[in-house]
Amino acid sequence: MKEIEKRIKPYDANFTTMVPTTFVKAMRTCVLWQIIRFIVINIKMLVVVRKSH
Amino acid sequence: MARVIVMGGGVSGHTAATFAKKWLGKDHEVVVVTPNARWNWIPSNIWVGVGEMTKDDVTFELAPVYHKAGIDYRQAKALGIHPEGGSTHGDKPYIVIEYTGQGKEGQKEELTYDYLINATGPKLNFAATPGLGDANGLGEFTVSVCTADHAEHANHELQKVFEKAKHSKQTVLIGTGHGMCTCQGAAFEYIFNVEHEAKKAGVRDNLDIKWISNESFLGDFGIGGLHMKRGGYAASSRLFAESLFSERGVNWTIGAAVTQVEKGKAHYEQLDGTTGVIDFDFAMLIPPFAGVGLKAIAKDGTDITDQMFAPNGFMKVDANYAAGAYENWKASDWPKTYQSTIADNVFAVGIAFAPPHPISKPMKSPSGRDIFPTPPRTGMPSGIIGKTVAHSICDKILKGKNAPLHEASMAHMGAACVASAGKGLTNGTAAALTVYPVVPDFETYPGLGRDLNYTFGEIGLAGHWIKHILHHMFLYKAKLNPGWTLIPE
């Protein structure tokens, strides 16, 4: 988070964007949480695929 | 015995040909005419472009697969369509092909057909931007990842820049190389793979990574952006994309048409009329697409190309090409059956069909230059359209000419997209997205144009695993291995 904050300069284009917190970034690579998300995303994608055929 | 000819062996053409042969069996003939000897799973070219995969990992020889399927494979390019017949064929329609392999290079041949599928894909129109490419298409000053060969070349050039970045600052420019490009998604995926690889190589601090694109806002992706549920809000893809660019320290220039490329310099013009130059040491800029330049000839020899094809070279089908201004656009403008407007037995699938209009709102700079993304027609929609057209043709052959055509409008079809960053199973992440429908339908879904229950996106390892699975699954399917029909497009 601190590393991202260091790159942001007031009134630059990236000053008005959302940036992920340390917690959000950690969850993106937390294997246990991502196994759950893997199942959820697969189900969501399969529903879209089914609706599209 | 009926003969179905499929011109083109990409995602859409290969899907159409293989399903047509499966459904028609040995009693009818399916011919594939494609200038390529190898099939390419294009989404994984991104990994080839950063050296995480080789060309052999993303391609395979077509001949043995078509031999196994009983498909007549001609390694040739199609030159022209004669939908009314002529020459020595009487009223029988035919195409003219020119071989590019199989020991017959340069030889021309006429092939008659009962049904024709145009799946010729795009011509990579590097010439539309001076300096963007040269005759061999690899790029004079810039590289591309549109084919496996291009991607290998891109990686070769990228590694040189990584080497230089060990000692000095280098600038990498990635995005679109013209005001009317599509495939922003490919460039988006590539830029974050380059960023990831730079970190791995320990040169990220010496690399200034910049994005340039013709999107009026980040996250447009040629589909007018999308919204997804996040934290109790319907959040725009703009927030999602800008967040990712900020997080990874990538600067962006948008609403920009690259007007000229010189060695190490990209000239651009923006929607507000601003012009500028970006200096670079490595640039991957996607070229605009055009039709492959097929000719259509009437029986009396008259050139009817302008009746069969739109000015950009894509084939006109059952779309509403008279919709006019953006305010008049409707989801129902988009084609459903992909049948040619002048020949009932000719269809166009994938990138080869002419869309009725863009999906993103058309915009011009004060000088009158068009700067907006053209509509994507790749991946999942491409495969579904190919299969649907094959179904229509097979019904007409097996059930009679009055069998109704099957429909697959992009306004009633979703798409799943996974954009990776990195390739390792535990250290990469990916943005997994689904959008439904691809073409926004503002009558059914007022305001946002899409169903929020089926449009979503998130970043994480899970999407990355899905990307790996898709790579292996679609190559398995394309090779027609056991159970291939069970894998959806």
Side-chain angles (χ1 to χ4, degrees), chain B residues 112-294:
Chain B
T112 59
Y113 63 83
D114 294 286
Y115 291 93
L116 177 68
I117 300 176
N118 174 13
T120 44
K123 171 185 151 191
L124 303 175
N125 194 14
F126 288 100
T129 302
L132 191 63
D134 57 10
N136 66 22
L138 283 178
E140 193 174 353
F141 304 123
T142 65
V143 299
S144 108
V145 289
C146 294
T147 70
D149 285 328
H150 288 188
E152 277 202 328
H153 174 243
N155 177 51
H156 182 68
E157 297 298 316
L158 181 67
Q159 297 310 321
K160 286 186 201 168
V161 167
F162 278 7
E163 196 55 41
K164 286 182 195 164
K166 287 178 181 168
H167 314 290
S168 60
K169 291 272 184 192
Q170 298 287 302
T171 301
V172 166
L173 178 66
I174 293 170
T176 54
H178 187 266
M180 295 185 72
C181 283
T182 184
C183 269
Q184 289 77 14
F188 176 86
E189 189 172 4
Y190 189 64
I191 200 167
F192 291 113
N193 270 277
V194 168
E195 198 271 340
H196 181 88
E197 292 301 321
K199 269 188 195 153
K200 258 175 60 184
V203 296
R204 180 65 183 91
D205 289 342
N206 264 352
L207 220 55
D208 187 8
I209 304 179
K210 296 180 175 178
W211 169 263
I212 187 165
S213 89
N214 55 351
E215 303 160 286
S216 64
F217 61 90
L218 271 184
D220 179 290
F221 297 130
I223 55 169
L226 55 108
H227 287 75
M228 59 194 98
K229 287 180 189 170
R230 184 58 57 91
Y233 291 84
S236 162
S237 53
R238 176 179 175 168
L239 295 175
F240 188 77
E242 287 185 350
S243 173
L244 198 56
F245 276 69
S246 288
E247 178 194 337
R248 304 293 175 103
V250 176
N251 297 317
W252 63 88
T253 303
I254 50 171
V258 173
T259 54
Q260 191 187 345
V261 182
E262 299 172 72
K263 187 171 172 55
K265 288 182 189 299
H267 298 258
Y268 65 89
E269 179 181 358
Q270 284 179 286
L271 281 167
D272 63 2
T274 306
T275 57
V277 180
I278 297 177
D279 294 320
F280 62 80
D281 299 291
F282 170 90
M284 195 295 288
L285 297 174
I286 300 277
F289 293 170
V292 296
L294 286 169

Side-chain angles (χ1 to χ4, degrees), chain A residues 7 17 28 34 37 52-53, chain B residues 246-247 414 458 461-462 489:
Chain A
R7 285 198 295 262
T17 62
R28 285 181 187 168
Q34 289 299 317
R37 297 312 300 164
S52 303
H53 278 70
Chain B
S246 288
E247 178 194 337
E458 70 177 69
L461 265 181
E489 284 66 50

Side-chain angles (χ1 to χ4, degrees), chain A residues 4 7 13-14 17-20 25 28-29 31 34-35 37-38 41-42 44-45 47-49 51-53, chain B residues 242-243 246-249 252 380 384 413-414 434 436 454 456 458-462 465-466 469 488-489:
Chain A
I4 299 171
R7 285 198 295 262
N14 57 10
T17 62
M18 302 188 301
V19 286
K25 286 193 77 179
R28 285 181 187 168
T29 50
V31 174
Q34 289 299 317
I35 287 170
R37 297 312 300 164
F38 178 77
I41 295 170
N42 267 292
K44 284 183 170 184
M45 282 187 169
V47 170
V48 171
V49 168
K51 264 180 85 70
S52 303
H53 278 70
Chain B
E242 287 185 350
S243 173
S246 288
E247 178 194 337
R248 304 293 175 103
W252 63 88
M380 184 174 152
I384 293 173
M413 183 193 301
T434 66
Y436 185 90
Y454 304 108
F456 74 93
E458 70 177 69
I459 298 172
L461 265 181
W465 297 335
I466 292 170
I469 290 170
E489 284 66 50

Side-chain angles (χ1 to χ4, degrees), chain B residues 323-351:
Chain B
Y326 176 77
E327 290 69 26
N328 301 329
W329 294 358
K330 289 184 178 171
S332 55
D333 296 338
W334 285 76
K336 297 176 183 71
T337 66
Y338 304 90
Q339 191 174 39
S340 162
T341 50
I342 66 164
D344 287 351
N345 59 345
V346 177
F347 297 80
V349 299
I351 293 172

